[in-house]
Amino acid sequence: MAYYRPPAKYRWHAGFVAWLLHRITGLLLILYLFLHEWLISTLQSKSSFDAAMAVVASPLFKLLEIGLWAAVIYHAVNGIRVVFVNFFHAAERSNYNINVWVFWIIAAILFVIGAIPMAKGLFY
Amino acid sequence: MATAIRGFIDRYNGSGKTGAFNWFFQRISGVVLLVLIVGHFYIEHFYAPGTIPTYNVVAGRLASLGWKLFDLTFVIFALWHGINGVFEFIDDYVHSNGWRLSLRALFWFVGILYLVLALLTILPFSVPQGGING
């Protein structure tokens, strides 16, 4: 089957980085979903669920949970940006790079707001 | 026979169709997931920071029809959105016809498997005798 090979080289402008991070976080999130659902399926019995929860109660998993929050919030906020680019003229050249930075700042703020209670939870 | 197989492969192997619906519904499901994940993250990750949900708490929640519907909607949209995202990867980076078909078939299989797993996990819960805290 013939396929389209892009003639252009990738340039490291903000929009490309945003797209690349969206791909990477998306891949991480689907892999996480498979692991997450597999773990939660231990709900079949109380003992197997409590055993599984005992494993993820460690500080390592709480730290990983903050990383999960980062991936979720980036993918969600950039996903909104994609919708704006697709349907609300956010792709216009005059504001394209600016909107990437605006959404990155929004994502960073939301990440910090959510990460604070999670980080406190590390020391319980 | 070979032509029929080739036609089947081209038709269901990406590229043969426009993919417009998948593209559009990726946006729709993304916005739906955005709404659902706010509730999910609040309940499961922020409600009681530093604690891990116990079986009784989760079982009590899943005994209600509302949470069953919430979690089932969430997992169905998440699986569709995630696996459709994987199909975008396959479209972009895998160019051999055999690999494309194999990987698509694999992720269809995994998706259906996980959907069944979700149904088996979520549906059986009912309010136990002695109340949800018993």
Side-chain angles (χ1 to χ4, degrees):
Chain A
M1 188 189 292
Y3 60 87
Y4 177 69
R5 190 186 284 279
K9 287 186 175 170
Y10 296 115
R11 283 169 47 231
W12 289 90
H13 62 85
F16 171 58
V17 176
W19 172 86
L20 196 61
L21 288 172
H22 201 73
R23 288 236 135 160
I24 293 166
T25 51
L27 197 60
L28 290 173
L29 288 172
I30 184 65
L31 293 174
Y32 170 74
L33 178 66
F34 289 149
L35 289 173
H36 181 51
E37 199 190 315
W38 175 59
L39 189 82
I40 295 301
S41 70
T42 56
L43 277 172
Q44 314 279 351
S45 81
K46 185 179 192 308
S47 57
S48 62
F49 184 75
D50 286 344
M53 287 298 115
V55 173
V56 297
S58 72
L60 172 68
F61 279 91
K62 287 181 182 174
L63 209 58
L64 286 171
E65 192 186 16
I66 299 177
L68 168 72
W69 171 243
V72 164
I73 207 68
Y74 178 80
H75 201 83
V77 171
N78 193 62
I80 300 170
R81 193 184 65 83
V82 170
V83 171
F84 273 85
V85 165
N86 290 158
F87 300 116
F88 301 105
H89 304 288
E92 277 163 26
R93 188 171 282 274
S94 58
N95 61 32
Y96 186 76
N97 279 327
I98 297 166
N99 84 47
V100 174
W101 282 101
V102 167
F103 277 83
W104 275 343
I105 290 166
I106 294 170
I109 292 168
L110 290 175
F111 169 72
V112 171
I113 290 171
I116 288 170
M118 294 175 114
K120 280 182 182 166
L122 272 172
F123 305 107
Y124 273 67
Chain B
M1 185 63 186
T3 321
I5 293 171
R6 175 45 52 93
F8 178 84
I9 289 172
D10 286 350
R11 189 165 173 198
Y12 295 105
N13 204 14
S15 298
K17 294 204 286 187
T18 65
F21 174 78
N22 285 25
W23 181 90
F24 185 63
F25 200 68
Q26 191 75 346
R27 272 81 188 145
I28 301 294
S29 59
V31 173
V32 172
L33 284 170
L34 187 76
V35 176
L36 295 176
I37 206 164
V38 171
H40 181 78
F41 241 90
Y42 180 72
I43 291 291
E44 307 293 353
H45 299 263
F46 292 140
Y47 185 67
T51 62
I52 296 292
T54 64
Y55 178 86
N56 286 345
V57 169
V58 179
R61 201 153 49 217
L62 281 175
S64 77
L65 182 65
W67 278 111
K68 275 198 180 75
L69 286 175
F70 183 97
D71 282 356
L72 276 177
T73 313
F74 192 41
V75 78
I76 289 168
F77 272 84
L79 279 174
W80 193 92
H81 187 90
I83 290 175
N84 194 56
V86 172
F87 286 175
E88 288 180 21
F89 270 79
I90 296 169
D91 277 347
D92 285 352
Y93 304 124
V94 182
H95 301 313
S96 135
N97 222 346
W99 275 108
R100 288 168 69 87
L101 189 68
S102 310
L103 286 170
R104 278 196 160 237
L106 173 70
F107 278 95
W108 266 104
F109 176 73
V110 169
I112 291 166
L113 198 72
Y114 268 91
L115 181 62
V116 172
L117 188 63
L119 292 170
L120 289 175
T121 305
I122 294 168
L123 290 181
F125 286 97
S126 56
V127 180
Q129 284 182 334
I132 59 172
N133 296 319

